[in-house]
Amino acid sequence: KHTAGRADKARSDLSAVAFGGGYLWLATDEGAKIERLRRIDEQEFGDHRVFDLTRLLKLPVGEADPEIDIEGLAVDDGHLWIAGSHSFTRDKPELGENGQEEALDELADIDRNPNRRILARIPLALLEAVEQAGAPVCAARLRAGRKRSALLDVLRDDRHLAPFMAVPAKENGFDIEGVAVEGERVMLGLRGPVLRGWAIILEIRVKPHGDRLKLGRLGPGGLRYRKHFLDLDGCGIRELCLLDGDLLVLAGPTMDLDGPVRLHRWTPPGGEAAETITGRDGCPVLLELPAGHGCDHAEGAAVLEGPDGPQLLVVYDSPAKDRLFGTRGVQADLMPLPGFG
């Protein structure tokens, strides 16, 4: 429940959620702000606060275009992790008063979006300190600039991903839409590409390096990343959550489509293999979630502790009208997690 500030806009664009330190952390796919809500009781969150990331992160193109397209949040060991989509986008044509010619020009325009290449780690205490002091502080992030980034550079020649790195997000291009973190181990869920029905999770190691983050190596082989392919019935990944050593994988349609939304359970493999592949039996469906047509796009999920065991909180981009209440309120879904507790 949003209760103050800019929540009227934020409630309609939610793209990521995480829970930690007694607070619910939310982000939208517009701008460069983090929303924070305090847990009031089992069913309600309030005391809304907003944190401006342009005061915490040095963005590749500064404040001229501050949109990060935050698609992943995670809380681990007193830090808030933030993942931008890292995606290219194609302009959305508008068949308005300027006619078809301009719409066709817009459809040919592809944006590189350097500010979306953010993978950052912010101490929770720093958020409060910046608000109180009013002075900008740079939080740690992976190297990213106008043309290059530490993550995209190591993927550029990958035999599976290379053809999709410059393809727009909603056209099965490279698009991060979930992050889960445990220590130095970071899992990134990809909405796209989906290869012949197989979704992809990227696993990386991220180490602090002074006031920055850098990619570490996964093992003696010197790998900077490894890929895990999952059979999610043709869906891409919209969110990741860690629970009891397993990953909860929120799967939904790739491209610009409505479609089924399911929660899968997957156990990340050990070992040092560069690539793994898991069939349907290895990532069973735990829950079927609501899927709207033109609305109610499940994009964020977080695990909360309930009276009878862990529960899954799901937030929606473009929520249906019946989810909205008052001028700032929005309903999420809270449901028990089968097989846990």
Side-chain angles (χ1 to χ4, degrees):
K1 179 180 177 182
H2 290 271
T3 56
R6 57 187 287 276
D8 188 32
K9 171 64 175 172
R11 67 177 180 173
S12 297
D13 295 317
L14 296 175
S15 59
V17 62
F19 183 77
Y23 292 103
L24 198 66
W25 304 88
L26 301 112
T28 75
D29 53 12
E30 304 286 342
K33 291 182 170 62
I34 294 293
E35 321 283 331
R36 191 190 72 181
L37 298 172
R38 180 174 58 83
R39 190 167 195 174
I40 296 172
D41 57 36
E42 290 182 10
Q43 298 292 325
E44 187 174 350
F45 292 84
D47 188 20
H48 178 223
R49 295 278 303 278
V50 181
F51 299 92
D52 186 352
L53 294 180
T54 63
R55 299 173 62 189
L56 290 155
L57 296 172
K58 185 178 180 181
L59 300 178
V61 294
E63 298 183 11
D65 180 15
E67 182 175 313
I68 298 175
D69 190 27
I70 301 168
E71 294 288 355
L73 293 176
V75 176
D76 179 68
D77 192 26
H79 291 83
L80 178 68
W81 288 78
I82 297 167
S85 66
H86 287 66
S87 64
F88 284 41
T89 56
R90 188 184 301 276
D91 281 1
K92 184 177 180 180
E94 299 291 344
L95 291 174
E97 60 183 24
N98 294 322
Q100 293 191 3
E101 191 61 36
E102 182 168 323
L104 291 169
D105 289 342
E106 290 171 338
L107 199 56
D109 190 9
I110 296 176
D111 297 321
R112 298 176 62 90
N113 308 309
N115 281 349
R116 296 184 176 208
R117 302 169 187 166
I118 292 294
L119 182 63
R121 188 188 72 167
I122 303 175
L124 296 179
L126 180 59
L127 290 167
E128 294 287 355
V130 170
E131 288 298 301
Q132 293 170 7
V137 179
C138 287
R141 66 173 176 86
L142 280 183
R143 177 181 56 81
R146 290 176 177 268
K147 295 183 179 181
R148 304 184 65 178
S149 84
L151 179 59
L152 298 184
D153 284 354
V154 300
L155 300 175
R156 197 172 308 279
D157 297 322
D158 183 85
R159 62 175 181 162
H160 296 111
L161 295 174
F164 300 92
M165 299 307 295
V167 177
K170 293 185 178 180
E171 299 169 24
N172 204 35
F174 184 83
D175 185 11
I176 295 172
E177 286 219 4
V179 61
V181 181
E182 187 173 37
E184 294 180 348
R185 191 182 198 189
V186 177
M187 297 288 197
L188 300 170
L190 303 187
R191 178 178 179 176
V194 173
L195 304 185
R196 195 58 187 260
W198 293 82
I200 304 170
I201 292 177
L202 282 178
E203 178 182 352
I204 57 176
R205 294 289 189 275
V206 178
K207 300 175 177 288
H209 183 68
D211 60 354
R212 296 179 296 157
L213 300 176
K214 65 179 296 185
L215 288 177
R217 299 187 185 276
L218 275 68
L223 299 172
R224 294 289 188 181
Y225 69 95
R226 63 174 178 167
K227 304 186 296 290
H228 304 287
F229 292 85
L230 278 64
D231 185 349
L232 305 180
D233 293 320
C235 289
I237 296 170
R238 310 305 291 269
E239 181 66 289
L240 298 175
C241 304
L242 275 168
L243 181 59
D244 293 348
D246 285 351
L247 269 181
L248 303 181
V249 182
L250 184 66
T254 186
M255 311 288 281
D256 191 15
L257 301 169
D258 295 317
V261 181
R262 304 182 183 95
L263 186 75
H264 297 255
R265 182 176 184 173
W266 176 65
T267 302
E272 298 174 6
E275 300 163 356
T276 70
I277 187 163
T278 304
R280 294 184 187 184
D281 291 346
C283 41
V285 175
L286 294 184
L287 294 171
E288 297 273 354
L289 279 73
H293 295 283
C295 65
D296 271 1
H297 300 143
E299 291 212 6
V303 175
L304 306 181
E305 191 59 40
D308 300 314
Q311 299 174 302
L312 187 74
L313 178 76
V314 181
V315 299
Y316 296 85
D317 192 5
S318 303
K321 289 183 179 180
D322 60 6
R323 289 190 181 275
L324 307 179
F325 58 93
T327 58
R328 300 183 178 96
V330 62
Q331 280 190 335
D333 286 336
L334 187 63
M335 57 198 76
L337 281 167
F340 294 94

